């Protein structure tokens, strides 16, 4: 079963964080069709948010066809986002763990590691915001 967490510093609405976590778990194969999501009450208590926020996230996931409510029973995964490349994830995960160990050994903290990874990812995918200054020559 998925265990939700919230990052108050992320700037992302709590209900969207819950949705993103379910989607990520589906992509990674950690949640599969038929798995039960935690109850609204349990999620609200664990991450200290209003139950309506959890309901909003679950309704959006239902609208997307990823979950289905069964009254009196719970909310269950009814769709998937995983692909055939799941078998390729483990070697990449191991390589990433080695990289994280090197980053920690170099003295980088969690926020610095995350910033370095996101910067490299965005630069590679062309989504890095331009931060340099423009120069002109005569």
């Amino acid at each position: 079963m998925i265990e939700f967490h919230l990052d108050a510093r992320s700037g992302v609405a709590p209900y969207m964080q819950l949705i993103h976590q379910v989607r990520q778990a589906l992509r990674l194969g950690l949640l599969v069709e038929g798995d039960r999501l935690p109850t609204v009450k349990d999620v609200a208590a664990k991450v200290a948010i209003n139950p309506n926020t959890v309901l909003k996230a679950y309704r959006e996931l239902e609208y997307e066809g990823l979950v289905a409510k069964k009254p009196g029973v719970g909310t269950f995964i009814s769709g998937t986002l995983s692909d055939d490349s799941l078998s390729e994830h483990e070697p990449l995960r191991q390589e990433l763990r080695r990289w994280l160990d090197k980053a920690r050994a170099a003295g980088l903290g969690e926020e610095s590691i995350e910033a370095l990874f996101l910067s490299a990812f965005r630069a590679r995918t062309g989504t890095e915001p331009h931060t340099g200054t423009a120069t002109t020559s005569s």
Side-chain angles (χ1 to χ4, degrees), residues 12-23:
V12 177
Y15 86 97
M16 284 302 300
Q17 290 185 49
L18 299 178
I19 291 169
H20 290 193
Q21 289 171 48
V22 170
R23 287 180 185 154

Side-chain angles (χ1 to χ4, degrees), residues 33-51:
E33 205 165 324
D35 285 349
R36 184 173 183 255
L37 291 179
T39 66
V40 169
K41 182 180 175 182
D42 288 346
V43 175
K46 175 152 179 26
V47 297
I49 59 174
N50 189 305

Side-chain angles (χ1 to χ4, degrees), residues 85-98:
S85 69
L86 277 178
S87 62
E88 301 297 319
H89 287 194
E90 192 53 37
L92 293 171
R93 186 176 287 119
Q94 289 174 4
E95 191 173 332
L96 185 55
R97 284 185 189 129
R98 286 191 292 275

Side-chain angles (χ1 to χ4, degrees), residues 14 16 20-21 31 33 54 57 62 67 75 86 99 106 122 124 126 129 134:
M16 284 302 300
H20 290 193
Q21 289 171 48
L31 284 175
E33 205 165 324
V54 182
E62 186 176 21
V67 303
T75 303
L86 277 178
W99 181 85
R122 289 178 179 145
R124 184 73 174 145

